[in-house]
Amino acid sequence: MFGKPVIKGTRITVELILRKIAEGMTDQHIMAHHPQLTIDDIRAAAAFAADHLAGEEIVAAQDVAR
């Protein structure tokens, strides 16, 4: 999937799951659309995203005089 993280054993990306959650889909709706997923898969996607964001380095932009 072009290097994007996926749920093991599927071609379903973490991004897709997070977007469905952001749209307000429930776990049950997500699993209805993707029967190969489990609750644990959905939770793992959210945990992966949280871990990824926790490891990001924040760099403050400098005020550049013109």
Side-chain angles (χ1 to χ4, degrees):
M1 296 304 293
F2 306 105
K4 291 184 177 185
V6 297
I7 300 301
K8 186 176 182 177
T10 76
R11 293 179 52 89
I12 299 171
T13 62
V14 169
E15 177 187 3
L16 177 69
I17 293 172
L18 295 176
R19 289 192 184 280
K20 288 179 179 287
I21 292 169
E23 291 169 1
M25 288 185 80
T26 65
D27 296 339
Q28 290 71 28
H29 283 123
I30 295 170
M31 291 185 299
H33 284 94
H34 304 281
Q36 65 273 47
L37 292 179
T38 67
I39 278 279
D40 289 339
D41 293 330
I42 296 168
R43 298 288 175 262
F48 177 88
D51 289 347
H52 176 75
L53 290 172
E56 280 193 348
E57 181 179 340
I58 298 174
V59 178
Q62 295 180 349
D63 187 19
V64 179
R66 295 182 183 198

